[in-house]
Amino acid sequence: MSFIKTDDISVRLTSIFMKLVGLWMATERSEQRIRDITVGYTLVAIIFAMWLQTTDMYYSWGDFSACLFAACNILSLTMPFIKILVLLAHKEDFFRLIFYLQRKFLHGNYNDYERKIVISCKRKCTFFICFFTLFTLATVASYIINPLVANIGRNESDRVLPFNMWIDLPLTVTPYYEIIFVLQVLSLYHIGISYFCFDNFLCIMNLHVAGQFRVLQYRIANMPDLMDKVKQSGDKILNTGSSCLANECYSIFKKYIRQHQALIAYCGKLEEVFSLIILEQVLMFSLLICLDGYQVLMADASTSIRVIFICHILACLCQLLMFTYSCDCIIRESGSIATAAYKGPWLVLPMSTSGRMMRKDLTLIILRSHIPCCLTGKGFFVVSLETYTSVLSTAASYFTLLRQRETP
């Protein structure tokens, strides 16, 4: 499956970006070779950019603002680099998650109410993915436009590149300048894509899992499958006695239990694949937001540099909100299964064998729902909307320390 067949804009857009990075499924060997080459190119581009920023920090040591500028760029490069390495290590599990998303979530068998829930999830995904992608690409464009604006009115020997290169070559003259400029732009664009595409897919999977928990709540509370059977049989099930109704109800309830187990297993696999990525992101977000805020508010920088970091801090805030909100949705919706189960039709069932078994299983599903599904940072903390406020609070503390550093 090299392409997900769906009308969901967010999934189609993200799958295209994932192909550009190289972490996607292939149906043929030639296609797989292209994927491997693309992943290799992505890693080389990131390593090249990290070398640029590390050497720039080394030669700029003593210039506090320049070092913070390089540090911010290095952090932004480290995040996609770690994500790619982690997902390469869990590539098969990651692809299974995507395949399950397509087969069970995007193309599931839904009635009208359930379809509205899925459409609502798709709209949320599209909103978050479009905004995050827009801010990230705006940051990339700002990095590219900055030297073009700075070079207006300058001589050929005084031109600047998007990023400083400390090598013994006349980089400001033709054709060296044009070659290096193109190399830096190509690397920058590819790094920008790798920065947001993995988070986009995590958000999509999280929101759709939360949507499936909502669908399951509706099914457990209202038993639409039982109602369909009653309509198809012309009320024969109801007329044959309450014992037959209990058998049918319990049979359908067992199907919902299996669906609940599948969703729990899916969340467990998400945790296994993405927990290290989440830990890395939460740890780095505070530093990134702090450094971005410093470059915007405190550093003695040009307007174009401030524009770069305004776009970057907006992308960081959107990225942080996107994945903390989606994780919080999983916690809330998986925990609400207990309430939905209690609202089910178990009260009207007789104390037959099926009725007693259903009540017993109902108790178990309520107990299990009291431990909601969640994603964690490698087990150190649970990711929720509280994580968002905690990261912002930590970033504000770091910013205060930097501000005191600047105060004479």
Side-chain angles (χ1 to χ4, degrees):
M1 184 186 65
S2 61
F3 191 78
I4 289 184
K5 296 180 180 179
T6 177
D7 58 349
D8 189 351
I9 297 175
S10 61
V11 175
R12 292 176 67 88
L13 185 64
T14 305
S15 64
I16 292 172
F17 288 128
M18 293 285 288
K19 289 179 183 179
L20 292 175
V21 173
L23 267 171
W24 197 249
M25 294 155 285
T27 55
E28 300 176 355
R29 286 189 176 181
S30 58
E31 191 177 359
Q32 184 58 51
R33 282 195 293 269
I34 294 174
R35 298 278 187 266
D36 295 338
I37 293 171
T38 308
V39 170
Y41 169 74
T42 304
L43 291 173
V44 169
I46 295 175
I47 293 171
F48 170 70
M50 292 180 73
W51 171 75
L52 282 182
Q53 295 305 308
T54 304
T55 54
D56 189 34
M57 177 180 282
Y58 175 78
Y59 286 105
S60 302
W61 196 258
D63 186 342
F64 187 65
S65 296
C67 288
L68 287 183
F69 177 83
C72 186
N73 291 333
I74 291 172
L75 286 175
S76 300
L77 293 168
T78 304
M79 291 174 68
F81 187 72
I82 294 176
K83 291 174 190 175
I84 292 174
L85 294 181
V86 171
L87 290 179
L88 282 175
H90 297 89
K91 185 166 66 172
E92 295 300 325
D93 290 333
F94 180 59
F95 290 164
R96 290 192 189 99
L97 289 172
I98 297 174
F99 182 71
Y100 195 89
L101 170 74
Q102 181 200 25
R103 188 164 56 92
K104 295 292 186 179
F105 298 169
L106 299 179
H107 297 125
N109 185 20
Y110 304 114
N111 62 23
D112 292 338
Y113 183 82
E114 295 165 355
R115 198 171 293 110
K116 289 179 181 178
I117 295 175
V118 176
I119 291 173
S120 175
C121 292
K122 291 180 179 180
R123 287 174 179 170
K124 288 181 183 178
C125 292
T126 302
F127 174 80
F128 279 116
I129 270 63
C130 288
F131 268 90
F132 180 40
T133 303
L134 175 65
F135 288 137
T136 305
L137 293 180
T139 305
V140 172
S142 301
Y143 273 109
I144 298 172
I145 294 172
N146 177 48
L148 299 178
V149 174
N151 289 334
I152 296 176
R154 292 193 177 193
N155 296 325
E156 183 179 284
S157 60
D158 198 28
R159 291 183 294 184
V160 295
L161 291 163
F163 305 100
N164 295 329
M165 285 193 70
W166 300 88
I167 57 177
D168 191 17
L169 286 174
L171 299 180
T172 59
V173 299
T174 304
Y176 294 104
Y177 178 83
E178 287 77 9
I179 293 173
I180 298 300
F181 189 93
V182 170
L183 286 176
Q184 290 191 4
V185 168
L186 290 176
S187 298
L188 178 63
Y189 177 73
H190 218 73
I191 291 166
I193 292 174
S194 63
Y195 183 83
F196 64 77
C197 63
F198 307 118
D199 297 283
N200 285 357
F201 236 114
L202 176 60
C203 175
I204 290 170
M205 288 188 283
N206 285 350
L207 289 177
H208 276 284
V209 169
Q212 291 301 307
F213 276 116
R214 285 183 61 194
V215 169
L216 183 59
Q217 292 170 34
Y218 166 75
R219 289 176 176 175
I220 291 177
N222 298 278
M223 291 282 182
D225 291 343
L226 179 62
M227 298 300 105
D228 291 340
K229 279 192 174 183
V230 170
K231 291 178 181 178
Q232 291 173 4
S233 64
D235 294 337
K236 289 182 180 179
I237 295 177
L238 296 177
N239 296 331
T240 54
S242 57
S243 178
C244 182
L245 177 64
N247 292 337
E248 290 290 340
C249 191
Y250 183 52
S251 175
I252 293 171
F253 188 71
K254 286 191 291 185
K255 185 175 73 171
Y256 296 156
I257 291 175
R258 287 191 290 269
Q259 182 183 355
H260 189 217
Q261 291 171 337
L263 290 176
I264 293 172
Y266 191 87
C267 291
K269 189 60 68 175
L270 277 175
E271 165 74 8
E272 180 182 339
V273 174
F274 285 98
S275 61
L276 183 59
I277 293 176
I278 291 173
L279 175 64
E280 167 244 351
Q281 289 204 146
V282 172
L283 292 178
M284 290 191 178
F285 267 134
S286 298
L287 290 173
L288 268 178
I289 294 173
C290 167
L291 295 178
D292 287 344
Y294 177 85
Q295 295 290 339
V296 172
L297 299 175
M298 301 293 295
D300 186 16
S302 62
T303 303
S304 56
I305 294 294
R306 294 183 192 276
V307 170
I308 290 174
F309 286 99
I310 288 173
C311 295
H312 194 216
I313 197 171
L314 289 174
C316 287
L317 292 173
C318 183
Q319 181 183 14
L320 180 60
L321 177 63
M322 182 174 72
F323 97 91
T324 53
Y325 172 77
S326 61
C327 291
D328 192 77
C329 286
I330 292 178
I331 295 173
R332 287 187 287 106
E333 300 299 342
S334 62
S336 298
I337 293 292
T339 305
Y342 189 76
K343 292 179 180 178
W346 61 274
L347 279 171
V348 300
L349 298 180
M351 290 302 292
S352 60
T353 302
S354 296
R356 287 194 298 270
M357 290 297 295
M358 181 170 175
R359 287 174 172 84
K360 181 180 178 181
D361 291 347
L362 185 75
T363 304
L364 293 176
I365 201 172
I366 290 175
L367 290 174
R368 177 60 184 86
S369 299
H370 286 162
I371 306 174
C373 297
C374 62
L375 297 184
T376 69
K378 208 59 180 177
F380 289 102
F381 52 85
V382 175
V383 180
S384 65
L385 282 175
E386 292 181 2
T387 309
Y388 186 80
T389 57
S390 299
V391 170
L392 293 183
S393 177
T394 306
S397 300
Y398 291 159
F399 181 80
T400 303
L401 292 176
L402 280 179
R403 187 179 178 184
Q404 291 175 353
R405 163 67 173 75
E406 285 291 291
T407 303

